[in-house]
Amino acid sequence: MNRLSPLIVRRTGRFAPAEALPLPSGMSAQAAGSMAEDLKLFVTFWIGGLVFFGTFLA
């Protein structure tokens, strides 16, 4: 399971709305650090994809 699994609440039914649980106050500092790490990883792979497909299509 990933770190978002405790935040996901599933309801049954055809048109059941999705609801997220509120974050506990102790997770805010940890979430900020992991968000920066996720953003850094995303930007790295996005730039890598630009380089790869730029050279592949050139």
Side-chain angles (χ1 to χ4, degrees), residues 35-45:
M35 182 65 86
E37 182 180 335
D38 289 343
L39 182 62
K40 183 174 147 182
L41 187 65
F42 172 76
V43 169
T44 301
F45 278 101

Side-chain angles (χ1 to χ4, degrees), residues 2-58:
N2 62 19
R3 63 178 173 250
L4 297 177
S5 59
L7 304 177
I8 299 171
V9 176
R10 299 198 187 270
R11 293 189 178 195
T12 58
R14 187 170 180 185
F15 297 109
E19 292 183 9
L21 296 174
L23 288 175
S25 61
M27 287 184 62
S28 61
Q30 181 185 7
S34 65
M35 182 65 86
E37 182 180 335
D38 289 343
L39 182 62
K40 183 174 147 182
L41 187 65
F42 172 76
V43 169
T44 301
F45 278 101
W46 188 75
I47 291 172
L50 284 178
V51 170
F52 175 77
F53 286 108
T55 56
F56 181 70
L57 296 174

